[in-house]
Amino acid sequence: ATMGMYDITEFGTDDKLWQLIALCAGTGGSILVIGSASGVALMGLEKVDFLWYAKKVSVGAAVGYFAGIATYLAQNALLHGGGFNLFNSIVPQATAAVDIINGVL
């Protein structure tokens, strides 16, 4: 869904933005058991209840999700230098994209 939000000439195919989006999409579904195919399979095969998962696992999954994002940003800052410029460059662009979408809808 995000591929149409950003111009491929501005953000190349191996840009840090796409890597961060892939990280978020790949791990974000684990916060809710119904957010991923593996979670739905877990509910079906092991008879895990949604509320049990929400109480016991979702908080840990959310902590891991945000820790993964922080680690990704820190790793890029250390490997590519320049501090946390990745965070400063992605957040305004993502906010502008949301503003554009809200203006269209």
Side-chain angles (χ1 to χ4, degrees):
T2 58
M3 291 183 74
M5 293 173 60
Y6 301 100
D7 187 14
I8 196 72
T9 58
E10 187 176 345
F11 300 100
T13 55
D14 196 27
D15 192 75
K16 295 177 186 103
L17 173 68
W18 300 116
Q19 295 171 4
L20 183 61
I21 290 171
L23 172 68
C24 293
T27 59
S30 297
I31 295 173
L32 290 176
V33 71
I34 59 173
S36 66
S38 61
V40 173
L42 174 72
M43 287 179 69
L45 295 174
E46 298 296 326
K47 307 296 184 225
V48 172
D49 183 36
F50 177 80
L51 292 177
W52 179 90
Y53 187 91
K55 291 177 187 176
K56 304 284 185 181
V57 180
S58 289
V59 173
V63 168
Y65 174 77
F66 291 114
I69 293 171
T71 302
Y72 176 79
L73 294 173
Q75 177 181 341
N76 270 313
L78 290 173
L79 292 177
H80 301 292
F84 286 94
N85 290 334
L86 175 68
F87 183 76
N88 293 333
S89 66
I90 287 178
V91 171
Q93 293 163 357
T95 305
V98 170
D99 291 340
I100 291 170
I101 290 171
N102 287 337
V104 171
L105 299 175

